[in-house]
């Protein structure tokens, strides 16, 4: 064994203890850590010949790289839709690294860790009150979940013409209908060879809405003259957390021939709360669903799952099977995740979720969801009460979309947000909504409290004064 590796092996307990203490130091100071910074490094460092060993590498990390990192798991990182990491999820994530499984098979001499994933998906179906008619698995994020689901939808579309797109390539123009798709769904269309611009836009409901206009949807369906199509719908649009009418879509699904996909990356968590589960009523009838765990479930990054109706398992295998690997056996008789999703190598992503679900239960996550919505409303009310801001849309769930009040301030929105983010007290993301420049704050982090909103409002007022707005 290499001498540096041998030294690290002999000192493993000390190395991991120092790493643990560093991790605790970061987590215990999250409230005071900056949410953004301007640090930089020269990334052209030369590779050393002999190796430093873990502790020396950790020392250099602390000196050069740690200053680049921000408090994205913290209570005032409101950009994108970013959750934190609960204690239980960190336990699961650490152990996933320690046990280092390639989670694929449920019955094999080489490991059966996929049974943990099966159990975790079953627990998630209970959390979301969804039927066991779905087959699920873990991927890196909503992009790969959308990709997986829409890849199977592509195969379904070909089957309507008696064609196997996975084997022979796409030979028909796919009909895609959607109203306000997330960029990751559009990116998936590009990666699948369908085309990022190859979709028909459905009108949204009149007024301040991003949801599908069901009347226009049916008109566009009728215009297809019986041709099959794929519908991409939303459970929580990224700007205003708007929901499509799943009950109405379910009725259309009984009349017309289409694959129904729901992007529920964060909005699906409405199902956990009795207050909000009406927003997803009818979603159990979809063919496929995307849900992200590193958002509202508050587990570390690279954790999302897909749900696809069991009825489509053959299409799923046709799409993703490793058909030139005979040692894998019959994919239906010997279930293996590498035959039903894109990746052949995958860590035990289910474990942080498994720990989280067992540790906090349905009530724990219901509390996180309802508290996040309460905080979004609290923040929204504070904005309404301030003469300098206005909401761009009603607060429907956990996202607050707002801007500086008055058209004359539109060109100042970007500067205001830059100054706000540079403060390091909070991080939010820019957006454009109904042709207006805006700012979006998303509340999903389990640590966020009313105290954080007070800190942010005070900082916003200070910057307004500083910029003479």
């Amino acid at each position: 064994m290499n001498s540096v590796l041998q030294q690290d092996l002999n000192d493993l307990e000390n190395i991991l203890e120092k790493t643990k203490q560093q991790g605790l130091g970061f987590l215990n100071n999250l409230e005071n850590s900056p949410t953004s910074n301007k640090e930089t490094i020269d990334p052209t460092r030369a590779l050393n010949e002999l190796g430093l060993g873990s502790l020396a590498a950790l020392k250099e990390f602390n000196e050069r790289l740690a200053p680049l990192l921000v408090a994205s798991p913290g209570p005032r990182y409101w950009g994108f839709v970013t959750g934190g990491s609960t204690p239980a999820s960190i336990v699961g994530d650490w152990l996933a690294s320690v046990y280092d499984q390639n989670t694929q098979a449920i019955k094999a001499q080489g490991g059966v860790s996929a049974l943990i994933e099966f159990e975790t998906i079953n627990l998630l179906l209970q959390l979301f009150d969804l039927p066991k008619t779905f087959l699920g698995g873990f991927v890196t994020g909503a992009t790969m979940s959308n990709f997986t689901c829409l890849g199977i939808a592509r195969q379904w579309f070909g089957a309507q013409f008696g064609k196997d797109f996975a084997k022979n390539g796409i030979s028909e123009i796919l009909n895609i209908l959607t109203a306000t798709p997330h960029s990751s769904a559009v990116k998936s269309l590009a990666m699948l060879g369908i085309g990022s611009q190859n979709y028909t836009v459905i009108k949204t409901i009149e007024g301040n809405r991003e949801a599908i206009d069901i009347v226009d949807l049916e008109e566009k369906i009728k215009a297809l003259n019986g041709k099959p199509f794929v519908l991409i719908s939303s459970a929580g649009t990224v700007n205003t957390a708007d929901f499509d009418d799943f009950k109405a879509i379910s009725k259309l699904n009984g009349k017309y021939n289409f694959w129904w996909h729901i992007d529920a990356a964060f909005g699906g968590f409405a199902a956990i709360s009795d207050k909000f589960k009406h927003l997803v009523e009818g979603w159990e009838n979809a063919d496929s669903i995307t849900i992200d765990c590193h958002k509202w479930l508050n587990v570390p990054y690279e954790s999302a799952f897909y749900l696809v109706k069991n009825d489509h398992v053959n299409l799923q295998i046709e799409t993703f099977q490793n058909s030139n690997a005979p040692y894998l056996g019959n994919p239906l008789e010997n279930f293996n995740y590498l035959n039903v999703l894109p990746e052949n190598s995958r860590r035990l992503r289910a474990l942080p979720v498994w720990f989280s679900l067992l540790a906090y239960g349905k009530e724990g996550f219901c509390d996180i969801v309802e508290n996040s919505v309460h905080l979004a409303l609290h923040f929204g009310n504070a904005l309404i009460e301030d003469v300098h801001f206005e909401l761009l849309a009603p607060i429907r769930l956990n996202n607050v979309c707002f801007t500086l009040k008055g058209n004359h301030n539109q060109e100042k929105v970007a500067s205001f947000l830059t100054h706000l983010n540079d403060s390091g007290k909070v991080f939010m993301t820019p957006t454009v909504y109904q042709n207006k420049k805006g700012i979006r704050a998303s509340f999903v982090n389990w640590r966020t409290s009313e105290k954080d909103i007070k800190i942010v409002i005070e900082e916003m007022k200070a910057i307004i004064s500083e910029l003479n707005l």
Side-chain angles (χ1 to χ4, degrees):
M1 182 183 290
N2 172 272
S3 60
V4 179
L5 270 171
Q6 183 67 62
Q7 181 181 337
D8 271 6
L9 179 60
N10 295 341
D11 199 27
L12 184 59
E13 185 174 349
N14 181 41
I15 291 168
L16 294 182
E17 178 61 29
K18 287 186 180 299
T19 305
K20 182 190 81 172
Q21 292 304 322
Q22 174 155 336
L24 286 171
F26 175 73
L27 293 173
N28 289 334
N29 196 45
L30 266 177
E31 290 189 2
N32 302 313
S33 298
T35 52
S36 61
N37 63 39
K38 296 181 179 179
E39 297 289 338
T40 187
I41 60 167
D42 176 1
T44 59
R45 183 198 190 282
L47 177 66
N48 47 293
E49 190 69 29
L50 299 177
L52 303 175
S54 293
L55 292 179
L58 180 62
K59 182 175 183 293
E60 181 172 331
F61 168 81
N62 288 330
E63 292 170 351
R64 295 182 61 246
L65 305 187
L68 300 175
L69 307 182
V70 298
S72 55
R76 294 189 300 278
Y77 196 92
W78 301 348
F80 311 104
V81 185
T82 304
S85 298
T86 59
S89 73
I90 294 173
V91 172
D93 198 62
W94 281 4
L95 289 178
S97 294
V98 169
Y99 284 98
D100 195 24
Q101 305 291 294
N102 183 12
T103 301
Q104 300 287 8
I106 59 172
K107 49 180 181 179
Q109 286 182 306
V112 293
S113 59
L115 285 170
I116 298 171
E117 190 157 337
F118 265 52
E119 178 166 301
T120 307
I121 292 294
N122 178 54
L123 293 170
L124 287 165
L125 290 175
Q126 294 174 60
L127 179 70
F128 292 102
D129 197 22
L130 283 166
K132 293 184 178 181
T133 51
F134 287 99
L135 174 69
F138 280 83
V139 288
T140 54
T143 302
M144 287 311 298
S145 182
N146 279 327
F147 177 86
T148 302
C149 294
L150 293 173
I152 305 164
R154 183 187 65 177
Q155 188 71 357
W156 170 88
F157 190 90
Q160 306 311 297
F161 297 89
K163 298 182 177 182
D164 187 335
F165 286 175
K167 284 184 179 177
N168 303 312
I170 300 174
S171 55
E172 301 284 342
I173 295 176
L174 277 81
N175 303 308
I176 312 290
L177 302 184
T178 187
T180 316
H182 187 264
S183 59
S184 66
V186 176
K187 183 176 183 178
S188 296
L189 295 179
M191 293 191 294
L192 288 164
I194 296 169
S196 61
Q197 296 183 347
N198 183 31
Y199 62 88
T200 299
V201 178
I202 308 162
K203 291 179 183 177
T204 53
I205 299 171
E206 287 188 8
N208 203 335
R209 296 294 303 276
E210 291 185 296
I212 286 173
D213 182 320
I214 297 296
V215 173
D216 187 60
L217 170 59
E218 187 157 19
E219 287 178 0
K220 286 183 167 59
I221 293 172
K222 289 176 179 176
L224 290 171
N225 295 317
K227 294 177 183 176
F229 66 94
V230 175
L231 175 67
I232 302 174
S233 61
S234 298
T237 55
V238 71
N239 264 333
T240 69
D242 207 351
F243 286 71
D244 293 327
D245 186 341
F246 300 142
K247 289 192 292 183
I249 294 173
S250 294
K251 291 179 182 177
L252 293 177
N253 204 21
K255 293 171 61 178
Y256 303 101
N257 182 30
F258 64 95
W259 180 284
W260 178 16
H261 174 62
I262 300 176
D263 186 340
F266 70 89
F269 286 86
I272 300 173
S273 166
D274 287 340
K275 293 180 180 179
F276 307 113
K277 66 181 181 182
H278 65 277
L279 294 169
V280 293
E281 190 174 347
W283 72 326
E284 67 277 3
N285 297 312
D287 294 286
S288 58
I289 302 174
T290 284
I291 300 181
D292 229 330
C293 295
H294 53 237
K295 291 183 169 62
W296 231 336
L297 201 69
N298 281 263
V299 303
Y301 259 110
E302 291 207 6
S303 181
F305 63 101
Y306 66 83
L307 295 173
V308 177
K309 281 288 176 63
N310 287 322
D311 294 346
H312 303 308
V313 66
N314 286 322
L315 294 170
Q316 192 168 357
I317 289 170
E318 289 171 9
T319 305
F320 295 112
Q321 68 176 321
N322 285 250
S323 55
N324 63 336
Y327 59 87
L328 296 173
N330 186 311
L332 280 174
E333 294 177 1
N334 302 295
F335 181 88
N336 194 305
Y337 269 112
L338 59 79
N339 284 319
V340 296
L341 45 68
E343 300 155 312
N344 280 12
S345 300
R346 50 203 302 272
R347 76 194 303 263
L348 185 48
R349 291 193 191 96
L351 200 56
V353 176
W354 185 91
F355 266 93
S356 301
L357 294 174
L358 264 68
Y360 309 121
K362 191 162 187 174
E363 184 174 321
F365 287 104
C366 178
D367 287 347
I368 292 175
V369 168
E370 292 183 356
N371 184 56
S372 296
V373 178
H374 165 75
L375 292 170
L377 292 169
H378 185 56
F379 181 59
N381 287 334
L383 294 175
I384 291 170
E385 291 171 2
D386 192 296
V387 297
H388 297 98
F389 303 101
E390 62 181 343
L391 297 181
L392 288 173
I395 299 171
R396 299 187 176 93
L397 198 64
N398 63 314
N399 284 357
V400 182
C401 192
F402 69 100
T403 191
L404 295 177
K405 185 174 286 187
N407 290 332
H408 62 287
N409 280 323
Q410 273 289 288
E411 294 309 312
K412 301 174 184 176
V413 173
S415 176
F416 169 80
L417 181 58
T418 298
H419 279 77
L420 181 63
N421 286 341
D422 280 348
S423 74
K425 299 278 185 68
V426 66
F427 180 78
M428 300 185 222
T429 39
T431 191
V432 176
Y433 181 70
Q434 295 190 342
N435 298 316
K436 278 194 169 185
K437 295 177 182 177
I439 300 168
R440 190 174 56 83
S442 187
F443 293 83
V444 288
N445 190 293
W446 66 283
R447 290 176 178 262
T448 308
S449 68
E450 291 187 6
K451 180 184 72 173
D452 296 299
I453 292 174
K454 183 179 179 181
I455 291 170
V456 172
I457 290 294
E458 288 177 354
E459 189 65 29
M460 292 170 71
K461 288 179 177 179
I463 290 169
I464 286 286
S465 177
E466 177 187 336
L467 298 178
N468 294 315
L469 295 177

